[in-house]
Amino acid sequence: MNKEFGRIITHLRKQKGLNQKEACAELGISQALLSHYEKGIRECGLSFLVKTADFYDVSVDYLLGRTTNPKGGSGNDDDVPEISELKDINRSKANTYCMLNRKLIANSTAVIYSLLAEINNKKLSKNVSDYLSVAEYNVFRKIYSLKENNPEDIFSIKKHSADEYCNASLALNNARINDIKSNRSIEGLELSAESLAEKFDESYPSLNQLIKNAEKALSQNFKL
């Protein structure tokens, strides 16, 4: 069974306001067996999978973590919980892929900053913030310059050197983050799929999907 199954059925049960005993009565299994399913100790059969999908009114693909859309399919821009909405965006013209990924990135960024707040290390927070800011700046500048005659007066760094500065800055911030990571005086957080799902009930599905998307892109780009 997909490793996401246990996390997802636990999330759905809690979202419905049920304890394990109540869910078992509806699903027709013992509490011990449901506990094993939720912890990933045992795999369920097809009949239970279908019954669970019907009970929670979601698709089997959603239960298996194959989509962020509870109803199945490839998803749309309403599949992911909102963190914030950009104003004045013409949704009718926005590509569904872009809208979905905008939310995945926004929600995942919110998780990152929540974790940084818990770690409470100013140097780490600054380097992560600089890394993300420069990456966004670099991408925006490339989009802005697609039309050659767009005025460059909103930028103070010349176009011909901006890309090299950005790449160097990203490498530097990455090196600094690795140095901080290797410093044993900084206490990290004990994290797992289960703890993240519990802590970030609304945002974790976005982070989980972003991880899958990024690793898929890396695998395709570098033939991993």
Side-chain angles (χ1 to χ4, degrees):
M1 183 65 64
N2 187 294
K3 66 180 180 179
E4 294 297 320
F5 179 71
R7 179 190 65 77
I8 292 169
I9 61 171
T10 302
H11 168 73
L12 290 171
R13 174 175 60 76
K14 291 180 178 180
Q15 191 177 55
K16 206 173 179 71
L18 301 174
N19 58 38
Q20 284 189 340
K21 185 176 180 179
E22 292 168 332
C24 289
E26 297 289 343
L27 295 169
I29 61 171
S30 69
Q31 187 172 344
L33 187 55
L34 179 61
S35 177
H36 285 171
Y37 289 161
E38 291 188 353
K39 292 177 181 177
I41 297 173
R42 291 187 58 180
E43 293 187 355
C44 75
L46 180 59
S47 60
F48 178 78
L49 184 65
V50 173
K51 190 170 186 177
T52 303
D54 290 341
F55 177 63
Y56 290 117
D57 192 26
V58 297
S59 71
V60 169
D61 275 347
Y62 180 76
L63 289 179
L64 296 177
R66 290 165 55 88
T67 176
T68 58
N69 182 354
K71 299 301 182 181
S74 60
N76 57 53
D77 65 304
D78 294 321
D79 295 342
V80 184
E82 293 284 359
I83 291 296
S84 64
E85 284 292 344
L86 295 177
K87 294 182 179 180
D88 302 322
I89 188 168
N90 190 336
R91 295 168 67 91
S92 65
K93 292 183 179 179
N95 182 281
T96 300
Y97 177 85
C98 293
M99 293 295 292
L100 174 60
N101 280 280
R102 177 177 66 82
K103 291 185 179 182
L104 292 181
I105 292 170
N107 290 0
S108 298
T109 302
V111 171
I112 288 171
Y113 276 101
S114 293
L115 295 175
L116 286 173
E118 285 193 59
I119 294 170
N120 193 26
N121 181 277
K122 185 176 180 180
K123 190 175 180 182
L124 178 62
S125 297
K126 181 182 186 306
N127 278 281
V128 170
S129 295
D130 287 350
Y131 185 98
L132 294 174
S133 296
V134 170
E136 293 249 355
Y137 163 86
N138 195 26
V139 170
F140 170 74
R141 187 145 191 179
K142 290 180 188 302
I143 293 171
Y144 186 89
S145 63
L146 285 174
K147 193 171 182 62
E148 290 292 333
N149 62 351
N150 284 341
E152 290 284 316
D153 55 352
I154 67 170
F155 305 110
S156 60
I157 298 175
K158 299 298 182 183
K159 180 167 63 174
H160 68 272
S161 55
D163 197 47
E164 292 183 15
Y165 281 133
C166 286
N167 289 335
S169 178
L170 291 173
L172 179 61
N173 287 131
N174 189 54
R176 286 173 174 169
I177 291 168
N178 286 334
D179 283 343
I180 294 167
K181 188 175 116 179
S182 64
N183 184 344
R184 297 191 178 184
S185 66
I186 297 174
E187 188 173 344
L189 304 175
E190 290 188 12
L191 300 173
S192 66
E194 292 74 19
S195 66
L196 287 167
E198 186 73 26
K199 186 189 293 284
F200 303 105
D201 188 45
E202 292 285 316
S203 302
Y204 178 70
S206 296
L207 176 62
N208 185 50
Q209 188 62 48
L210 181 136
I211 290 169
K212 290 180 179 179
N213 292 352
E215 292 192 339
K216 181 179 179 181
L218 290 169
S219 296
Q220 290 175 341
N221 289 339
F222 299 102
K223 310 300 181 186
L224 301 179

